[in-house]
Structure formats: C-alpha cells, structure tokens
Amino acid sequence: MPATTPTTAPDLHSWRTAGGITVRRQIEPLPHETAIEPLIDALDTRPGVLLASSYDYPGRYVCYDIGFTDPPLVFTARMSGLSGAEVEMRALNARGQVLLPAITRALADHPDVTGIVVDDIQVTARIMDSPADFPEEARSRQPSAFSAIRAITALFDSREDGHLGLYGAFGYDIALAFERIPLHQKRMSDHRDIVLYLPDRLISVDHAARRASLISYEFTVDGVTTDGLPRTVPEDAPAPPPANAAADDMAPGAYATLVERALPEFAAGNLFEVVPGRVFRRPAATPPSELFRRLRRRNPAPYGFLINLGRSEHLVGASPEMYVRVTGRRIETCPISGTIARGRDAMEDADRIRTLLASAKEEAELTMCTDVDRNDKSRVSVPGSVRIVGRRQIEMYSRLIHTVDHVEGMLAEGYDAIDAFLSHCWAVTVTGAPKRAAMSWIEAHEHSPRAWYGGAIGRIGFDGDMNTGLTLRTIRVRGGIAEVRAGATLLFDSEPAAEEAETVLKASAMIDVLERPDQDHRPVVPAYPGRGLKILLVDHEDSFVHTLSGYLRGTGADTITFRSPIDADLPRRMKPDLAVLSPGPRRPADFAMSRTLELLLQAGVPVFGVCLGLQGIVEYFGGELGRLAVPMHGKPSRIRRLMPDLLFDGLPDDITVGRYHSLYAARLPACLEATAVDDAGIVMALRHRSLPIRAVQFHPESLLSLHDGAGPAMIANLCRLSGWTGGTAGHPHNPGAGTGAAMMTGSAPNMHVPHRIA
C-alpha cells in the first residue's frame, strides 16, 4: 500500500473471529480528494485490487472506492471441473505466514478436502469429487473450490467489520464446471479460474459523504502476531505475451456468420437466446493505471475496477452490470439487456430511449434474461420472495443506453452468499437461455476461451455479505497485450450485420481508452458571432425571456432586457444594433406592440420577433391573426424551410422546434414572406421583403428546439447577419436604405404569400 498521511487520531477496535483469530482494526481519516490516487499508481506493479463505483443511481448504486495493494495472502484455483478442483493459499509476505497455520487447519477440517500439502509459504488442498447424483437444490453445496472459500470465510467470520474479506476475480470457466459442460477450446497452461486476495490494509472512500479512511488490520494466531511485520510484497516476474498476441480472434464478417449459425437453433427451439463474444487485441504500451483513469473519466460505471492479478496480468474495467449482491439475507441482481447508441445531446438521447422502449425485440431480450434470473434466485430463495423491483429502467453510459431490470429475493435457511453467487453462475445476459444449452453452444462456437470475461469481480465479505459485478467492458492486459471482448444478445429476430456492429460499438469505448490519450483539458475558446453587438430584448411578461437572453449573451452580444412598454426615447438613447421582441401571453395589442415597432423602426433598429413578436409584426404591417383549433403549448413540430434563408444556414431543410402558442399568422401582408412552415402549412418563420425584420413563430430557446442544435444555431446565425448596423436600415417609408435591408432579405426570391402556405 502506498504511503498515506492520516488527518486525525485513529479509531481502534478489536474482536475474535468465529475461527479463533484475534483481529485489531485501526481506522484513520485521509484527505478525500487524493486518497485513492497513490493506490492507482501502485497497482501498476504491486498485486492488489481497486473497486471504484462512479455511477450513482438511487436505490441501486452509490459512488465509492475501496482498494489495497500488497495483501498478505492470495487464494487461487483452477477448475478443470467443479469436482476434483485444486486450490492454493499462498503467503505473499511474513504477515501471510502468520495466518497460514490457521488457514491450513480450516482447510484440513473441511469435509470436502481430501488432501493437503503444506510448506512455509503455501497450503495446497485437493477437493474431493462431487457425487454423480444429487438434488438440484444442493448443486451449489457440491464439493468445489468454493468449499475452500467457505472454510476461509468461516475462519474469519465476524459481523464486527464490513470491509474485511476476499477481493478479486472469478473466471468464466467456473460456470462450465458448475454445469459440467465439456471443454472444446484449449486453455493456457497457466490459466487461473479464481484469484482472491485477503488484504490487511484498505483505503475506503465514500464520495457522497466526502470521507476517506485508511483501515489497517493486525492478526494474532496461536499467540503469534503480525504487528510490526512489513506489509510489502515482492513483485512478480514479467509474463511472456500470449500466442497470436496482436490478432483479433474474428475477422470482419465472422461474427455475422456466427449469428447465422445460431438462427436455426432458435427456430428449432434449442435456444431462446445466446450471447457469443469476440476478442479485439491491441498493443498495451500505456500503464494500467492510466487506462483506468481514462476509463473512469470517459465511461463512469457502477463497477469500475483495476486489479493486478500478479504474473503481469491486469484487469481494467467499467462494468455496467451488477452480478450478485447479498446484504444480510437479501439477494439482488440487475440484468441488462436492450441496447442503443447514445445520441449527440439530451434531446437525441430522449428519441433513442423512445426507440429502445418501443422495440419488441429489445423487450423480449430483457424478458428472457429476467425470467432466467428469477429462476436462478428461486433455487436458493424463500418461496414467494423473488420479485421485480424495477422493470425496463433506463441506465445511460458514455456511448450506450441500456434497459435494466432490478430483481430481488430472500435467501432461504441453509443457504449463504456463496449459494446465491453460484446459483446465478453465470448471468444469462452473458450466456443466454436455456442457460446450459447456451453455454454449451458458446463453448463450441466462440473462437477463444473467455478467461475472465463474463465472470465476476468483487468482494466476499467475512460479515456474510457479498458485492460482485459482471466482468464486462473490461481490458485484460497481459504480457504487453490488451484484450477487449464484447458480445451481443442473439435471438430469432437478430440481424447478423446489426449484431456484429453492436459488438464493435460495445468494444469501441475500451479500444478508445487503449488508443486515444485524454485531450488537453484547456478550455476551448468558442466563436462569438455576436461580439460587438448591442441587443435590446423587449420582454412581454414571458416565462422564457431569460433563456432567450442567455442564448443571445452566449454569442458574445451585450444584451439588455426591458419590459414592455418601453420608454419612447429608449431606442434612440440605447442605439441597439438589434431589437428582439420576446414571446409572451395574450395578444400583441395587449402590449402595445405596434407602438414598440414604430419606435424601433423610426430609430432604424433591425427587429427579430419570437412567437408573440412574429404576431405583432404581422399585425403591424396589416396582416391578420387566427387561433389554432388545438393550442401548441410545450409541443414539438417538424418545420420545413421554403427557401434559402441565412437564419437557417447550416441546418437541415426539416428541423424540429418547440412551440408555445394559440395565435398564428392567418394572412400575411404583401410586404412579408414566409420562409418556413409546419406540416399543416402554418407560417413558422417570415421576413420582410425589404426591411431588416425577421420573425419565428416557434421558440428557438425551448429545449424542444435543441434537436440538431437548431435553436442555438439560429441565434448564432441571427448575430452573424452583417446588416445589424443600427441606424442604417432606414425608415419603414424608406425601405432598402443601408446594408441592413439587403442582408435581411438574403438571396430569397420575391414571393407573395397572402395566406396560409400549403
């Protein structure tokens, strides 16, 4: 663990575990802002774990960090099958050697252990074969590597502390052993299925409370104490890079072919859904610490992690999905299925969410996942306790939007957190359904073994609780090579090309972390098309005037707001380059808008009207207003441009805007021409044929006008019009004077619009 500086006197507490080990705990406060940073750097070269949740969701996730380096003990297991497993508990320093005798006794006393080999730094235990015949309710209690884990948790069992436990990673092959699925793919000779550390010093950070702590433990076994012994651990020797290090395991198009092979299985009823993955490989020249920092900044997630597994192997991840969380007797899971790419902004995100929620395919994916998940819980839960807490809830990440269910159950008597863990092994969201058939198909058709992908990372607490996340959105770094595995949920309606594209999208955030350094964080200086302009904003008691003013000021313009009626001398005294007539309730006459327009035009001030402002301009020049049969209050509309117009420069011909109005321009006078209309032909934008006057019937400042950035773009275009040179536009009885009139008309043809535009 890197050096830290406590801020106040420590909090001391001691207890005796169920297995007779005396534990003394010391808690010292740390500065919240910097508590975790030295740990991140240390994990480049030292064994340990950092679990970092940077995603807040009420009732589900809170932001926290917990981690350590230089643990005294490491537990490893390789499972050729769940039965007959071999496990090792190795002391990494002298402190671990103090604990090893107690662990040796605990393993030797366990009925599932058939033999033990012990030396000064390691105990190796052989687990007996599982019987060929047993009830399904007892599957998670069959002899396995988890028998040894249970022996260790029973040794340290205590409700006195919520942090001490086993931390690390569980590989995908645990599920194949648990379900006794034959292996078809060759595993590496040094492959490990479980790596768990027992720490003796942790850094814990509560971001909501802005509190950080250094938690240190001393242990006493058989009268021998760890007190005063060094905590450091020797570094492992580097591992060689894996074979075919630089090659992806699938060429372009291969995943789509895999999808095509799965489709007949769905048609035959052999599979309901299946989640095959593929591997993208890249050189890993960047330290894992920097990869973690990039990932945390760019892709906040509830299960972020940086794990140094030893042997030059690291896991760096930002998983969106809870695997199994056990608190007391409560089991929770949050199956994720249903995915769509993020939009460019919040408005496009909202459109994508509607598309996702309306998709029958995406709903079917999640339904199958949750039905399988409920079945997994029912194996170990109190009858009737399994229920849906949340259905198709939206979770948003840096590049993706997911639909998520939240499911809970209550552990039945005789079962513990490990039973909950194994009964879900592995989540249907990374395997498929029926689960055993899906895992068999994956083993036969994927192009490389999954290793850690699709397994879990997290903590088994000595207090009986557990918190684990699925190993998704993960970079595995080993021997200088980075691997990113991504999959898609396939079912009968799957389109091969689309599913392959989804795997590329899911992997893209991880590959971006590998290949693109963080950008320079110096602020980008925006363009200010309104700089040097003075704008008078006339407020007609509107509820959105300050948003409109903010848009104008955002262009760099000096914007001053006065409520109507304005002083008769204000336009000549202020000499604005532009006057903006705001929206508002009622009718233009209620605000004497004709008088305002007369004052502005006499002073030669160009005018832009918004909503009520457009209606006032229509009436001032002799047009007529009508009332909509159905008011458009807080509603979006698609509008189309009728002709080239500088106000809409750079925008699509059809755009979505927000509307708040009951009145509309029923008849335009000959001097005004419509430049945009809605689907019903209602005038949505107009300009004077010769004077520097423009207006829109919609609200560019509404959030509904943020689609395609339309509202802000229009305000910027308004300020770019080079005719805003107050005093040169001329009097209404002298149209065309100065450059303002010319620039306001732009290149539009002379078009007479006496009534609605069809």
Side-chain angles (χ1 to χ4, degrees):
M1 182 76 73
T4 54
T5 305
T7 57
T8 61
D11 171 27
L12 300 174
H13 181 55
S14 63
W15 65 92
R16 189 174 176 84
T17 73
I21 296 176
T22 300
V23 183
R24 188 173 78 254
R25 183 188 66 199
Q26 177 175 293
I27 302 177
E28 303 168 88
L30 295 175
H32 166 262
E33 293 79 7
T34 58
I36 215 72
E37 296 306 314
L39 173 58
I40 296 173
D41 293 324
L43 284 168
D44 280 336
T45 57
R46 314 209 66 79
V49 174
L50 171 60
L51 305 177
S53 177
S54 50
Y55 189 89
D56 198 5
Y57 194 104
R60 189 175 304 167
Y61 302 122
V62 296
C63 294
Y64 72 90
D65 300 323
I66 188 164
F68 58 87
T69 60
D70 297 303
L73 290 163
V74 59
F75 174 93
T76 60
R78 177 168 178 156
M79 300 166 64
S80 56
L82 196 70
S83 61
E86 189 171 85
V87 303
E88 296 175 352
M89 195 71 168
R90 182 161 56 98
L92 299 179
N93 58 19
R95 298 172 65 81
Q97 290 177 275
V98 171
L99 291 166
L100 211 54
I103 291 171
T104 300
R105 289 195 297 270
L107 292 174
D109 291 342
H110 197 283
D112 292 348
V113 174
T114 61
I116 284 186
V117 177
V118 182
D119 61 28
D120 289 343
I121 64 169
Q122 181 170 298
V123 53
T124 302
R126 179 75 183 177
I127 309 299
M128 70 169 55
D129 291 343
S130 177
D133 185 35
F134 53 84
E136 282 299 306
E137 291 79 4
R139 181 173 288 272
S140 60
R141 289 283 166 157
Q142 294 307 300
S144 73
F146 288 90
S147 302
I149 293 174
R150 279 197 171 96
I152 295 166
T153 57
L155 174 67
F156 286 90
D157 179 65
S158 173
R159 301 302 183 270
E160 294 289 333
D161 181 84
H163 294 95
L164 200 58
L166 298 173
Y167 292 75
F170 304 86
Y172 175 79
D173 281 358
I174 290 170
L176 306 190
F178 185 65
E179 292 292 345
R180 299 184 176 182
I181 292 171
L183 304 184
H184 296 284
Q185 300 178 40
K186 183 179 179 181
R187 270 60 179 176
M188 300 289 289
S189 60
D190 60 350
H191 170 70
R192 296 168 292 172
D193 291 311
I194 303 174
V195 175
L196 299 173
Y197 292 119
L198 197 166
D200 60 0
R201 178 180 282 185
L202 295 131
I203 293 175
S204 175
V205 181
D206 180 341
H207 289 289
R210 297 186 61 79
R211 182 171 60 241
S213 302
L214 174 64
I215 308 171
S216 304
Y217 301 91
E218 300 293 349
F219 305 100
T220 301
V221 177
D222 301 335
V224 181
T225 180
T226 59
D227 198 7
L229 294 176
R231 296 180 184 269
T232 57
V233 170
E235 297 182 20
D236 280 334
N244 299 319
D248 295 349
D249 76 344
M250 290 190 190
Y255 193 89
T257 299
L258 204 65
V259 179
E260 291 170 355
R261 290 178 183 170
L263 295 179
E265 300 297 319
F266 303 131
N270 298 331
L271 292 172
F272 306 148
E273 62 181 9
V274 69
V275 193
R278 58 186 296 202
V279 174
F280 303 81
R281 294 190 178 97
R282 299 291 187 273
T286 305
S289 58
E290 177 55 25
L291 296 178
F292 173 79
R293 287 187 171 104
R294 290 179 191 174
L295 194 54
R296 184 174 58 172
R297 284 190 287 262
R298 300 179 198 175
N299 196 41
Y303 288 93
F305 51 92
L306 171 59
I307 304 178
N308 184 331
L309 295 165
R311 304 184 188 176
S312 297
E313 185 174 14
H314 289 76
L315 297 178
V316 186
S319 176
E321 186 166 350
M322 180 192 298
Y323 173 56
V324 172
R325 184 167 66 192
V326 178
T327 309
R329 307 300 296 175
R330 186 189 188 207
I331 317 168
E332 293 175 86
T333 54
C334 293
I336 292 179
S337 197
T339 301
I340 198 167
R342 289 288 300 265
R344 291 168 295 180
D345 52 36
M347 302 307 297
E348 195 165 291
D349 279 344
D351 289 340
R352 301 284 176 91
I353 290 169
R354 280 190 286 269
T355 299
L356 179 59
L357 291 176
S359 170
K361 171 188 176 292
E362 303 290 350
E363 183 174 5
E365 283 186 17
L366 185 56
T367 297
M368 284 191 275
C369 288
T370 298
D371 271 340
V372 174
D373 181 271
R374 292 167 65 234
N375 178 73
D376 292 340
K377 283 184 182 59
S378 295
R379 191 197 308 248
V380 296
S381 293
V382 174
S385 69
V386 178
R387 69 186 187 98
I388 306 295
V389 178
R391 171 63 172 162
R392 295 198 83 198
Q393 296 177 316
I394 294 295
E395 288 186 1
M396 303 180 71
Y397 295 93
S398 63
R399 299 188 180 205
L400 300 171
I401 304 170
H402 293 302
T403 46
V404 184
D405 284 353
H406 192 171
V407 191
E408 73 169 11
M410 299 300 292
L411 275 172
E413 286 299 319
Y415 293 111
D416 59 17
I418 292 175
D419 292 305
F421 182 93
L422 290 175
S423 70
H424 291 79
C425 191
W426 285 114
V428 65
T429 52
V430 295
T431 55
K435 191 184 289 188
R436 192 178 190 283
M439 289 191 291
S440 296
W441 193 92
I442 287 169
E443 176 65 15
H445 289 86
E446 284 188 340
H447 291 194
S448 59
R450 289 191 166 189
W452 303 107
Y453 173 83
I457 51 85
R459 165 187 173 270
I460 300 175
F462 294 151
D463 60 351
D465 291 351
M466 174 184 285
N467 193 359
T468 55
L470 271 176
T471 312
L472 302 172
R473 314 286 161 79
T474 298
I475 302 169
R476 180 194 186 195
V477 181
R478 186 167 181 263
I481 300 298
E483 291 185 352
V484 175
R485 189 180 286 261
T489 301
L490 313 184
L491 61 169
F492 181 71
D493 337 51
S494 288
E495 297 179 6
E499 301 293 2
E500 178 163 330
E502 183 174 318
T503 67
V504 174
L505 177 63
K506 286 178 175 176
S508 65
M510 302 299 109
I511 293 174
D512 178 69
V513 166
L514 284 166
E515 298 182 338
R516 182 175 64 86
D518 282 342
Q519 300 297 313
D520 191 333
H521 292 293
R522 290 175 296 180
V524 177
V525 178
Y528 292 111
R531 181 170 284 163
L533 297 182
K534 183 185 293 185
I535 297 178
L536 167 63
L537 176 56
V538 181
D539 175 18
H540 301 111
E541 301 179 13
D542 180 53
S543 294
F544 315 122
V545 68
H546 297 297
T547 303
L548 182 58
S549 174
Y551 274 35
L552 293 166
R553 290 196 305 272
T555 70
D558 180 12
T559 303
I560 304 174
T561 305
F562 284 90
R563 283 195 178 179
S564 176
I566 61 172
D567 183 80
D569 192 42
L570 179 63
R572 294 187 182 278
R573 186 174 74 247
M574 180 178 168
K575 295 179 179 167
D577 299 298
L578 170 66
V580 176
L581 305 180
S582 86
R586 304 193 295 277
R587 304 183 68 91
D590 295 327
F591 297 94
M593 198 179 297
S594 290
R595 172 183 174 274
T596 299
L597 280 162
E598 185 72 20
L599 293 173
L600 293 171
L601 294 175
Q602 284 178 353
V605 179
V607 176
F608 180 68
V610 179
C611 198
L612 188 75
L614 176 144
Q615 298 157 18
I617 289 168
V618 169
E619 283 195 329
Y620 176 80
F621 287 104
E624 295 179 0
L625 302 180
R627 190 166 70 181
L628 297 171
V630 178
M632 295 294 290
H633 296 155
K635 297 178 181 178
S637 285
R638 293 292 293 179
I639 67 170
R640 58 185 173 91
R641 183 167 45 183
L642 297 175
M643 61 186 69
D645 191 300
L646 295 174
L647 186 66
F648 299 103
D649 190 40
L651 293 172
D653 288 339
D654 290 355
I655 58 174
T656 297
V657 295
R659 295 169 63 176
Y660 289 86
H661 68 107
S662 298
L663 304 181
Y664 70 98
R667 182 183 64 82
L668 293 184
C671 63
L672 300 179
E673 59 184 354
T675 58
V677 295
D678 71 358
D679 290 339
I682 299 294
V683 175
M684 287 288 106
L686 58 79
R687 65 188 178 198
H688 198 282
R689 295 181 184 275
S690 58
L691 296 177
I693 297 174
R694 267 188 170 82
V696 294
Q697 181 56 71
F698 53 87
H699 285 239
E701 80 285 0
S702 169
L703 66 87
L704 297 174
S705 299
L706 290 173
H707 293 276
D708 297 313
M714 280 183 273
I715 296 300
N717 287 339
L718 181 69
C719 293
R720 288 190 183 98
L721 295 174
S722 60
W724 301 134
T725 54
T728 65
H731 187 273
H733 299 296
N734 183 25
T739 60
M743 292 310 301
M744 283 299 288
T745 55
S747 59
N750 188 20
M751 178 178 177
H752 174 58
V753 185
H755 202 268
R756 275 191 184 182
I757 307 299

